[in-house]
Amino acid sequence: MRYETELDRQVEEQILQDAQLRTGRRWDAHKLSGKNESRYHADYFITDLDSKRSFWLEVKDRPTWNPEWASVLLDVCKYRNLRNLATTTGLPAIFMPRLAGVLYSVNLTEDHLRLCGFAWRGRTDRNDPDDGQPCILIPLTVFTEVGA
């Protein structure tokens, strides 16, 4: 079952535009959709137009974020795929969640892996019993606020 909707893609685009505004950077962003979505498992392949450096980007929107939560969830398969892309290409794999309107970023490296936890989590708003999966719990302390 495919869960990403047109609204999800619009939100991803908003986060992308917000990140560029907050950082003052200009990006050549390619959405990895269609056949590329199943091959790369990242939201975007980005090249910074000024530095000419490229990176993989995964964005998430968590509008009901509780600031008391100590970590940000990411599906273990998504984490593995992003790390594999980084290892294979030597390009950074950036995870950029928007938490209740505040944009954060982390370069997914093995350095912070020892700080992470793991748990079975998933969405509960879609009434799908198969909507759970193993997740990595990335501590909020390893993220930086974008544009701060």
Side-chain angles (χ1 to χ4, degrees):
M1 175 178 265
R2 184 180 172 93
Y3 286 120
E4 191 172 85
T5 66
E6 183 58 37
L7 179 58
D8 293 329
R9 287 186 281 282
Q10 290 172 8
V11 168
E12 288 174 351
E13 275 296 316
Q14 291 170 357
I15 292 171
L16 189 70
Q17 297 305 317
D18 190 23
Q20 290 178 88
L21 285 172
R22 290 180 191 217
T23 61
R25 308 302 296 189
R26 297 175 310 119
W27 295 342
D28 180 20
H30 296 273
K31 174 72 174 147
L32 298 170
S33 57
K35 73 176 185 177
N36 285 330
E37 184 176 13
S38 63
R39 291 168 45 188
Y40 293 98
H41 303 282
D43 288 326
Y44 293 95
F45 178 79
I46 307 280
T47 300
D48 184 289
L49 292 174
D50 298 316
S51 71
K52 305 300 184 210
R53 293 187 180 131
S54 297
F55 59 96
W56 307 100
L57 180 65
E58 178 68 21
V59 298
K60 297 287 181 201
D61 188 36
R62 302 290 182 255
T64 57
W65 179 257
N66 181 339
E68 293 181 11
W69 293 338
S71 59
V72 181
L73 299 175
L74 185 63
D75 178 338
V76 168
C77 285
K78 179 65 78 170
Y79 177 84
R80 178 199 62 207
N81 293 335
L82 289 164
R83 287 289 305 129
N84 283 344
L85 285 170
T87 300
T88 301
T89 63
L91 299 175
I94 306 298
F95 176 37
M96 190 175 289
R98 183 170 64 181
L99 310 175
V102 180
L103 198 56
Y104 293 91
S105 178
V106 65
N107 183 1
L108 297 175
T109 67
E110 288 186 33
D111 295 339
H112 65 267
L113 188 57
R114 63 182 171 73
L115 303 171
C116 296
F118 295 87
W120 185 268
R121 296 285 194 275
R123 293 182 60 166
T124 58
D125 61 331
R126 296 188 282 218
N127 294 324
D128 182 351
D130 294 328
D131 210 6
Q133 62 270 335
C135 290
I136 185 168
L137 309 170
I138 306 170
L140 196 52
T141 56
V142 303
F143 287 84
T144 56
E145 186 176 338
V146 176

